Amino acid sequence: MRNFHKAAAVAAATLTSAILLPATASAQDGFKCEEGETYIMNVMVSAHPYWVPVYQGFKQAAEAMGCETVFSGTPDYDITKQIASFEQDLVKQPAGILLHPMQSDPFIEPINRAIDSGVEVVTFAADSPKSNRTAYITSDNVAEAKFAAEEIVKQVGEEGQYAVLENPGQSNHDLRVTELISYMEQNYPGMKLVGRQATNQDSNAAYRATASILQANPELDAMWIPEAGSAEGAVAAVLEAEADVLIMHADVTPTTLEHIKAGNIHMALNPNQGVQGFMGFVTVFMAAHSDMFDPFNDYKVSGYNPMQIPFIDNGFAVITKENADSFDLNKYMEGRDPS
C-alpha cells in the first residue's frame, strides 16, 4: 500500500506544541473532558460507509480523553436538511462539532453562529473556507487528482478519451475533478475530455450518465470519479456495455472494493479516514480548550481563537487488487461498537 502524506507545517507545529508542552494557566487538567462534555460529528448521506471509519477514529480520540460523542446528520443529499440537522445539534449545546459541509457557502452563517454561541466547529473532507471554522482536515485533493491523471496516462497512453462524473458545490469533489482536467490540459493535450456529467453521489444517476457517455463515445478509454457512490453506477454501466474502460475513483465502499478485487475497477484513492476522524476530534477539542496553550501570536489583542489550522493533510492510500483486503469494512468493524 502506498500512502501519500504531506502534513501542513503550521498544523504540525501547533499540535506538537499543544500535546508535548505542559499546559500554562488552564482550568483543564491536560487532555481531559469534564463529565458529560460532548462532541458531535455531523454529515450528509449519513448511511454512507465512508463515515464509519472516520467516526471510529473520532471516538477513539474522544474515549482517550474521557469525552462523549454523537454521530449526527441527515440521510439525504440535501443541503437544507443538513443545515437543519446542524442547527438541531446546536440546541444540544455540545462543546464542538466536527462537520462535513455538503456545500461551502450555505454553511458560512450557521458555522459562524455556532461559534458565536460557544460551540467550536472544525470541518473535514469538505470545507467552508469563508466561515470562521477553526481547522480543516482532509486528504490533499489536488495531489489525488494529479496522481489519478498520471495513472490514467500510464495505463492508456498520452492520447485518448476520458470522462468525469462530478458533484458540483462540494469542495473536495470539485477539486478532484477540476484539478485533474486542468492537469491533463497542461501536461497531456492528447487526452481529450469527452464527457462530464453531474451525478451528485447517486449511483442510478451515474449509471445513466455513464451509459449516455459510452453511447456517444464508444472509444472512451478512462473515467475519473470523485467518490465511490457514483463509481458503483458507472462500473455497472461499463460492464453492461461490455466496454473496455479504465475506471478510477476516490473513496471506497464495500461494493467498489469487490469490483477492485474482480478487476472491474482499476484503482481507488482512499483518504486515511481513521486519521481524519482522530485528528478531527483533537482539533475540535483544542478549539474548545484553547486556554491549554499560549502561542506566540496576537490572539489576545485580536480576540480570535488561537487554534487556527488552515489545513491538515490526513493522507490517502492507493487501493488495488493486491491490498484490497486491508480495506474490508466488515472485517474492520468486527468487535467494534458502531454507535
Side-chain angles (χ1 to χ4, degrees):
M1 178 177 70
R2 300 174 62 189
N3 286 286
F4 293 76
H5 187 83
K6 298 188 300 179
V10 172
T14 303
L15 287 176
T16 300
S17 298
I19 293 172
L20 298 182
L21 297 180
T24 56
S26 170
Q28 292 296 317
D29 181 20
F31 280 72
K32 295 181 181 178
C33 279
E34 298 178 356
E35 184 176 355
E37 186 173 329
T38 302
Y39 293 81
I40 296 175
M41 179 175 143
N42 183 287
V43 301
M44 47 62 164
V45 194
S46 54
H48 197 289
Y50 180 90
W51 312 122
V52 177
V54 181
Y55 187 58
Q56 288 298 311
F58 186 74
K59 285 202 308 175
Q60 288 170 29
E63 289 169 357
M65 302 178 196
C67 311
E68 297 182 10
T69 64
V70 174
F71 180 79
S72 178
T74 173
D76 305 287
Y77 190 80
D78 186 310
I79 184 63
T80 302
K81 291 182 179 179
Q82 191 190 5
I83 289 175
S85 74
F86 180 80
E87 292 178 337
Q88 289 169 3
D89 290 340
L90 295 181
V91 174
K92 303 171 186 175
Q93 297 184 313
I97 298 176
L98 181 65
L99 171 69
H100 175 86
M102 176 181 162
Q103 294 176 3
S104 301
D105 289 349
F107 258 106
I108 295 173
E109 191 279 332
I111 290 173
N112 292 350
R113 179 159 36 87
I115 292 172
D116 289 343
S117 73
V119 178
E120 296 299 336
V121 179
V122 167
T123 55
F124 78 100
D127 194 17
S128 180
K130 296 178 183 178
S131 73
N132 295 329
R133 55 86 171 138
T134 55
Y136 173 43
I137 178 167
T138 189
S139 53
D140 188 336
N141 304 136
V142 175
E144 291 168 340
K146 290 179 178 179
F147 183 95
E150 287 290 349
E151 181 65 18
I152 288 171
V153 170
K154 178 182 176 181
Q155 297 298 324
V156 307
E158 295 187 15
E159 294 187 359
Q161 299 179 357
Y162 75 99
V164 298
L165 303 181
E166 60 184 336
N167 308 306
Q170 187 167 325
S171 64
N172 56 334
H173 294 177
D174 284 340
L175 276 174
R176 286 169 175 165
V177 171
T178 58
E179 289 296 327
L180 179 131
I181 294 171
S182 176
Y183 189 82
M184 286 291 200
E185 290 174 345
Q186 293 174 18
N187 297 278
Y188 301 105
M191 290 296 296
K192 301 300 182 183
L193 177 65
V194 297
R196 181 177 184 176
Q197 293 199 31
T199 53
N200 296 324
Q201 303 195 58
D202 183 326
S203 61
N204 292 323
Y207 169 84
R208 294 190 296 270
T210 302
S212 175
I213 292 171
L214 285 170
Q215 185 174 21
N217 305 278
E219 300 302 316
L220 183 70
D221 295 295
M223 292 190 71
W224 168 239
I225 305 166
E227 37 73 34
S230 294
E232 292 180 10
V235 70
V238 168
L239 289 173
E240 183 177 281
E242 298 182 347
D244 183 16
V245 178
L246 180 140
I247 298 175
M248 286 187 65
H249 67 87
D251 305 342
V252 71
T253 63
T255 298
T256 61
L257 189 68
E258 290 304 312
H259 280 297
I260 291 171
K261 291 179 181 180
N264 300 326
I265 292 177
H266 175 64
M267 184 181 287
L269 307 183
N270 195 53
N272 193 328
Q273 295 144 288
V275 172
Q276 193 172 86
F278 192 96
M279 295 306 296
F281 182 86
V282 171
T283 52
V284 74
F285 176 91
M286 287 303 303
H289 294 273
S290 59
D291 59 342
M292 286 180 62
F293 67 115
D294 183 20
F296 181 60
N297 59 34
D298 67 339
Y299 77 97
K300 292 180 180 179
V301 176
S302 302
Y304 67 89
N305 189 320
M307 185 59 184
Q308 299 292 323
I309 303 180
F311 171 56
I312 299 176
D313 182 356
N314 54 246
F316 68 89
V318 179
I319 305 177
T320 65
K321 185 185 299 186
E322 288 70 29
N323 67 352
D325 286 340
S326 297
F327 297 88
D328 187 318
L329 187 58
N330 291 327
K331 290 181 180 178
Y332 175 77
M333 287 302 294
E334 288 178 0
R336 299 177 188 268
D337 179 7
S339 62

